[in-house]
Amino acid sequence: MDKEVILNIPLGSTRQPDSWAWHYERSGIFSMKSAYRMLVQTKLQRENWLDNKASVSDFSAIAKSWKSLWGINVPSKLKIFAWRLSQNSIPTENLRKQRNMSTTDICKICGAAQDTWDHAILQSTMAKCVWALVDNDITDLIAITNIKDPREWLFHMQENLTPELMVKLIVICWAIWHSRCKALYDDFYQSPLTIWGFIESYLADLEIINNPMHVQVMRPLVCTKTTSWIPPPESCMKINDDAAVSRSSNKGALGAICRDTSGKFLA
């Protein structure tokens, strides 16, 4: 016996037809970007669960850290370097040996330590000399931080440094790695002072690009009267000399010029 089903639908109301919606996008419309984000999120959640690193509830904090890392106000090539560093994919000898691309994991520059990411950027002799020229706000934090995972190290530094100091940290790490590559592959060795000079110049250029309104307007140069050359007494000669020493090598230069009372060049 058929049963009668009564639906209590208010008069004047219309039922919306069912439609497909993509759960991972607010608009409900499928996009490759949201699909990629969903796959990455699922992969990280499963890896963290298998490795007992973090729970699913911690993923939002990790995603926020990634977003902040990619939002650092530096050029794209430095962001890519920071991403490669966080993934422990910069080609150190330790990584190359793990991928069967090298027979040893010893640093080719110092030859006395395992060439890992932290050795190349923080602990090598050349790196330490560069870090010795950096502000204490950064070096003090590096000294008390003992984190071997590069991603966790970067996230920790990002949480404890201001955006300006984080920009400086990324530039310094990239400059140290760049100079290391020059030494290994181009046989071109730079002194720590040369590397630091490049870092300061690069940071100054970034400041001009990121804050053009803060750049001081160059005032026209005002010509001032300089002290003229004072001639020697009659029947005498005058010798003026100057000297300089190079900061990057053990070299120097000395110059001298001799003139008579009328200013005529003699030697």
Side-chain angles (χ1 to χ4, degrees):
M1 182 176 180
D2 296 336
K3 293 184 179 180
E4 184 179 359
V5 179
I6 300 176
L7 298 177
N8 295 323
I9 301 177
L11 295 177
S13 64
T14 57
R15 181 181 178 183
Q16 297 293 332
D18 294 336
S19 61
W20 291 99
W22 179 246
H23 173 66
Y24 298 97
E25 195 72 54
R26 291 183 178 180
S27 62
I29 301 175
F30 173 82
S31 66
M32 292 300 298
K33 180 181 179 180
S34 60
Y36 175 78
R37 187 166 56 243
M38 180 269 294
L39 292 173
V40 172
Q41 178 178 352
T42 304
K43 177 178 179 293
L44 290 177
Q45 288 177 352
R46 291 180 178 178
E47 288 178 351
N48 291 332
W49 178 74
L50 291 173
D51 297 338
N52 294 321
K53 289 183 178 179
S55 61
V56 176
S57 60
D58 295 330
F59 183 80
S60 59
I62 297 176
K64 184 178 179 180
S65 298
W66 276 120
K67 184 177 180 180
S68 299
L69 186 64
W70 281 105
I72 297 176
N73 205 5
V74 294
S76 298
K77 62 180 180 180
L78 270 70
K79 293 181 181 181
I80 295 174
F81 166 77
W83 175 77
R84 293 187 64 191
L85 176 61
S86 65
Q87 297 293 322
N88 197 18
S89 63
I90 57 175
T92 59
E93 291 303 313
N94 181 46
L95 182 64
R96 294 179 71 245
K97 184 180 179 181
Q98 292 177 5
R99 297 181 179 180
N100 297 321
M101 299 172 64
S102 177
T103 57
T104 178
D105 59 354
I106 301 301
C107 177
K108 290 184 177 180
I109 295 180
C110 68
Q114 189 181 40
D115 188 29
T116 57
W117 72 268
D118 51 343
H119 171 78
I121 295 177
L122 302 176
Q123 299 173 1
S124 64
T125 303
M126 184 266 293
K128 286 182 177 179
C129 291
V130 175
W131 287 111
L133 303 171
V134 184
D135 300 334
N136 292 334
D137 294 339
I138 298 178
T139 55
D140 289 347
L141 179 61
I142 293 176
I144 62 176
T145 302
N146 186 19
I147 300 177
K148 293 299 181 181
D149 184 84
R151 187 189 72 176
E152 294 181 5
W153 182 81
L154 274 176
F155 287 173
H156 177 76
M157 302 301 289
Q158 188 171 235
E159 292 175 358
N160 292 275
L161 292 176
T162 63
E164 293 77 13
L165 291 179
M166 191 62 191
V167 169
K168 194 171 187 178
L169 175 74
I170 296 298
V171 172
I172 294 172
C173 292
W174 172 73
I176 292 174
W177 176 257
H178 186 64
S179 64
R180 180 181 185 272
C181 292
K182 281 187 175 182
L184 288 175
Y185 305 116
D186 297 335
D187 198 24
F188 180 73
Y189 292 84
Q190 295 175 299
S191 67
L193 284 175
T194 303
I195 299 172
W196 180 247
F198 169 79
I199 292 171
E200 287 187 320
S201 177
Y202 198 91
L203 290 172
D205 291 342
L206 284 181
E207 180 67 22
I208 295 174
I209 295 172
N210 297 330
N211 302 298
M213 300 302 294
H214 294 172
V215 180
Q216 296 181 355
V217 179
M218 297 298 293
R219 297 180 179 179
L221 295 176
V222 179
C223 296
T224 57
K225 186 178 180 180
T226 58
T227 304
S228 60
W229 179 74
I230 301 175
E234 291 291 339
S235 67
C236 292
M237 296 179 295
K238 188 173 186 179
I239 298 176
N240 294 96
D241 63 86
D242 196 6
V245 178
S246 173
R247 297 177 63 182
S248 59
S249 61
N250 297 324
K251 297 180 180 180
L254 174 66
I257 186 170
C258 179
R259 293 188 177 95
D260 61 10
T261 303
S262 62
K264 182 180 178 181
F265 171 78
L266 299 179

